[in-house]
Amino acid sequence: MNSVHRSPRFCPNCSALLPDGNPRFCIECGHQLQPLPAPEATSSSPSSFMTVRLPNARVEQSVIGGTIRLPSSGAIPPGMWVLDEPPGTQHVVAIYAPLRAVVGGWSGLSGNGWRREERYAISGSRMAHTFTAERVWFPAPGCGGGIQLHVTIAATAESEEGKSRLGFRYREGSDPPMQVIRAEWRNANGEVIQHQPLPEIQIMAPPRVLRVSDVRETIRQMSADEMKQWLAGSAVQGTYRLVGGNVQQRTPAGRGLVLTEVATDTTKRRSWWQRLLVPGPTLYHVRVEHPLTIELGEWKRQVRQMKREAAGLGLDIETDAVIEWWLDRYAYDGVIFHGAAQRYQFDRVIVVFRRGQLAAV
């Protein structure tokens, strides 16, 4: 009898639709679908996987290619050049590839910032597919002579002969970097400026804020005295339960865990034998030191502001990534939504970003 492995269509943990190709992880909740392979040897070259800190985000950011050999933390992101003269050959500018974060890496999709180009045969019966993206680096308003650097970057993906690709994926630290294939200065009218020296160009992945499935954390267990001390720095008190369970969810505030408050007197009214025979849901205390508090009905307006701020720094990325970047940039470690009954059946819910912010009661 032949044993044939069939890849599941839906994640057994969160029920999200899974992509073709025997994925190892669910890109929505991070659930492991297949055993992890043995670690592979990676190149010690600095270009294989390096992170730097740039002034437009609080998190380290991945360098994924460019015209320079060594990643530079002095690279200038779009919108942050404040000198009258444009950057020259001695400077490094940073541009952002239009990528979406997936578990352990990134993906790019035709139509979402990328354009399919040529395909050609490579070794064996495999094909290589080329994708290109146009990025623009610009100085701060009124600076740099008002000119813009237009950059074309390319990425490749492989497939079996006869199969097409709509995009590509790669894992951090294992795939070759993307390439700059063209760069030119243009004026405000879009005309090419001849003989203007080009700076070095550093291709960046979008800022990736570590949240629930990115961090190996568990919900805390502690004594009553430890709990009291731990909660002393929290902006929210009380007892809460998880809405949707201890599984990363896609919330209005990006990836997170959703909680609603439970009246403590209802838990106290149950006798010990009732709690033994009919266990209730696990309850938690929450530590959130700097939450953003907002009406859920005002959230769309707030997101538009986030997108404008991100666009002013060249972060032309998907909405969830913008939200997570903006909240992290202003050091928010949670969001308290009021007026949330229509979506969550509770008027007030809290979204936290890491399991380590919860302690079981």
Side-chain angles (χ1 to χ4, degrees):
M1 179 177 179
N2 292 330
S3 175
V4 179
H5 171 73
R6 296 185 182 278
S7 177
R9 292 191 61 200
F10 299 93
C11 174
N13 191 48
C14 71
S15 300
L17 181 65
L18 298 171
D20 296 331
N22 296 321
R24 292 182 182 146
F25 295 92
C26 171
I27 63 175
E28 294 296 335
C29 72
H31 180 70
Q32 183 177 319
L33 302 170
Q34 296 185 35
L36 292 174
E40 298 179 356
T42 58
S43 169
S44 61
S45 168
S47 63
S48 62
F49 174 53
M50 288 289 288
T51 59
V52 296
R53 288 193 177 273
L54 300 184
N56 61 349
R58 297 199 316 152
V59 296
E60 291 188 349
Q61 302 177 47
S62 299
V63 180
I64 53 176
T67 64
I68 58 175
R69 183 173 182 181
L70 295 176
S72 171
S73 59
I76 308 299
M80 302 196 77
W81 180 267
V82 294
L83 302 179
D84 292 334
E85 295 296 320
T89 55
Q90 74 275 26
H91 300 110
V92 180
V93 301
I95 60 170
Y96 287 89
L99 300 173
R100 179 176 184 263
V102 296
V103 175
W106 301 88
S107 72
L109 188 63
S110 176
N112 289 351
W114 294 92
R115 182 175 63 249
R116 281 191 291 182
E117 301 288 353
E118 63 177 352
R119 61 178 182 174
Y120 52 90
I122 53 177
S123 59
S125 59
R126 299 188 65 78
M127 300 288 295
H129 304 259
T130 304
F131 299 86
T132 60
E134 307 290 333
R135 300 282 89 182
V136 178
W137 181 93
F138 49 87
C143 301
I147 65 175
Q148 298 180 340
L149 183 64
H150 288 246
V151 182
T152 304
I153 58 180
T156 58
E158 295 184 13
S159 73
E160 294 292 336
E161 186 176 4
K163 292 187 177 181
S164 62
R165 292 292 299 264
L166 295 177
F168 62 93
R169 293 187 184 187
Y170 72 96
R171 296 186 66 82
E172 289 183 329
S174 61
D175 289 75
M178 298 179 191
Q179 296 181 350
V180 174
I181 60 174
R182 185 167 53 253
E184 58 189 17
W185 288 107
R186 298 183 189 176
N187 60 24
N189 297 322
E191 300 166 335
V192 177
I193 301 175
Q194 303 290 345
H195 310 301
Q196 177 71 34
L198 293 172
E200 299 285 1
I201 300 167
Q202 185 165 282
I203 307 174
M204 307 292 302
R208 182 170 182 157
V209 179
L210 298 180
R211 288 206 176 178
V212 186
S213 65
D214 299 321
V215 185
R216 293 191 175 186
E217 287 183 343
T218 58
I219 294 175
R220 297 171 183 265
Q221 306 283 338
M222 60 184 70
S223 67
D225 290 340
E226 292 172 327
M227 184 82 74
K228 185 177 181 180
Q229 183 177 3
W230 183 73
L231 282 174
S234 179
V236 297
Q237 302 294 318
T239 305
Y240 296 82
R241 72 177 183 86
L242 284 164
V243 179
N246 180 20
V247 178
Q248 175 177 286
Q249 300 179 46
R250 184 181 181 185
T251 78
R255 295 166 297 157
L257 301 171
V258 182
L259 300 106
T260 184
E261 190 167 8
V262 176
T264 54
D265 58 342
T266 61
T267 62
K268 291 178 179 178
R269 282 200 296 265
R270 300 179 71 218
S271 64
W272 67 268
W273 60 268
Q274 287 177 313
R275 294 195 296 270
L276 179 64
L277 294 176
V278 186
T282 304
L283 302 180
Y284 305 92
H285 291 308
V286 183
R287 182 182 173 96
V288 182
E289 299 180 27
H290 185 212
L292 172 66
T293 302
I294 189 171
E295 290 285 332
L296 186 58
E298 294 293 314
W299 187 245
K300 288 185 178 180
R301 181 185 58 81
Q302 183 66 45
V303 170
R304 288 195 293 269
Q305 177 186 329
M306 296 175 183
K307 287 183 173 181
R308 287 193 296 269
E309 192 168 328
L313 296 174
L315 295 173
D316 181 19
I317 52 181
E318 63 173 348
T319 300
D320 283 4
V322 167
I323 291 170
E324 294 181 10
W325 162 81
W326 189 90
L327 290 170
D328 184 75
R329 191 179 193 212
Y330 291 97
Y332 291 116
D333 59 350
V335 178
I336 301 174
F337 287 110
H338 291 277
Q342 185 173 357
R343 176 165 181 158
Y344 289 107
Q345 289 77 53
F346 301 96
D347 183 71
R348 178 177 179 266
V349 298
I350 298 177
V351 178
V352 297
F353 307 144
R354 299 170 73 143
R355 291 187 177 93
Q357 292 177 266
L358 306 181
V361 174

